[in-house]
């Protein structure tokens, strides 16, 4: 288990809070089995080259996306007919007009590892950790960031933390 008090606060695009901070669970990874067989409906639309023996038809945007994920292909929903008519979910719409502030601490055992801060959901497929950043790959999505402070281990007087104050424009 990871001890933490990591909070995320929604901000408007000017950096002003628009909601109270929320503590999120860390390590909630949705497991997906790449050999799942999904229900095939009566119609049979294209999987855009990502068809498999067990999946010949992709009738929804999600089905095409799942097939691309199984093949480890880059998925671009703007080129998929099934995706053109589907609207972004409310959560997906929010990320295009909001920012966020993340703060707190993580306390973990002293072992090798990494942590990620990324948009979208993360999950495991065939024991590989994956971040689903669709539809956030659009050029309208801004992942610019400011690292006010990040440190590892105990605070040592006089020690500088090299990432403090770093700004990334993306």
């Amino acid at each position: 288990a990871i001890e933490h008090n990591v909070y995320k606060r929604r901000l408007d695009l000017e950096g002003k809070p628009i909601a109270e901070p929320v503590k999120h669970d860390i390590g909630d990874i949705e497991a997906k089995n790449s050999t799942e067989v999904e229900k095939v409906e009566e119609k049979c639309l294209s999987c855009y080259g990502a068809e498999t023996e067990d999946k010949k038809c992709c009738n929804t945007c999600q089905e095409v996306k799942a097939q691309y994920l199984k093949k480890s292909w880059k998925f671009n929903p703007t080129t998929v007919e099934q995706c053109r008519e589907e609207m972004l979910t409310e959560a997906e719409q929010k990320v295009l007009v909001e920012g966020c502030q993340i703060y707190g601490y993580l306390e973990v055992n002293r072992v090798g590892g990494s942590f990620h801060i990324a948009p979208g959901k993360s999950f495991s497929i065939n024991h590989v950790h994956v971040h689903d950043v669709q539809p956030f790959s659009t050029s309208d999505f801004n992942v610019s960031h400011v690292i006010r402070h990040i440190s590892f281990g105990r605070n040592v007087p006089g020690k500088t933390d090299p990432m403090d104050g770093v700004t990334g424009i993306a």
Side-chain angles (χ1 to χ4, degrees):
I2 298 173
E3 289 290 321
H4 79 92
N5 79 337
V6 175
Y7 289 83
K8 177 181 171 186
R9 179 185 334 218
R10 292 173 46 215
L11 306 173
D12 66 17
L13 293 179
E14 323 267 280
K16 296 181 183 105
I18 56 177
E20 291 299 313
V22 176
K23 185 174 182 178
H24 289 273
D25 290 332
I26 294 179
D28 274 354
I29 297 175
E30 184 181 327
K32 294 193 180 212
N33 182 346
S34 68
T35 60
E36 287 178 353
V37 178
E38 297 177 14
K39 181 182 172 191
V40 177
E41 298 174 14
E42 288 182 31
K43 59 184 178 178
C44 185
L45 300 178
S46 175
C47 292
Y48 296 84
E51 296 83 0
T52 57
E53 275 303 310
D54 62 338
K55 184 74 170 167
K56 302 283 185 207
C57 304
C58 295
N59 296 322
T60 67
C61 184
Q62 281 304 113
E63 288 177 345
V64 177
K65 185 177 180 180
Q67 289 303 105
Y68 269 61
L69 190 62
K70 286 179 186 179
K71 294 200 176 257
S72 300
W73 291 355
K74 180 180 178 186
F75 178 70
N76 181 356
T78 60
T79 64
V80 176
E81 188 65 37
Q82 293 89 315
C83 299
R84 290 193 185 124
E85 297 301 317
E86 294 181 18
M87 298 294 292
L88 295 177
T89 67
E90 185 179 334
E92 291 168 338
Q93 290 173 14
K94 281 182 187 175
V95 300
L96 296 174
V97 295
E98 291 183 6
C100 70
Q101 175 188 35
I102 301 170
Y103 64 91
Y105 71 85
L106 293 172
E107 191 166 313
V108 298
N109 291 331
R110 192 174 177 163
V111 296
S114 61
F115 69 94
H116 307 250
I117 298 173
K121 295 185 180 200
S122 64
F123 55 91
S124 179
I125 185 165
N126 294 333
H127 308 290
V128 176
H129 183 78
V130 178
H131 289 275
D132 181 5
V133 294
Q134 291 293 346
F136 314 119
S137 63
T138 173
S139 60
D140 296 336
F141 190 71
N142 182 340
V143 290
S144 297
H145 56 275
V146 176
I147 300 172
R148 291 193 177 107
H149 174 75
I150 188 168
S151 60
F152 301 91
R154 290 192 169 94
N155 184 25
V156 176
K159 180 184 90 176
T160 59
D161 295 301
M163 291 192 68
D164 287 359
V166 169
T167 298
I169 306 298

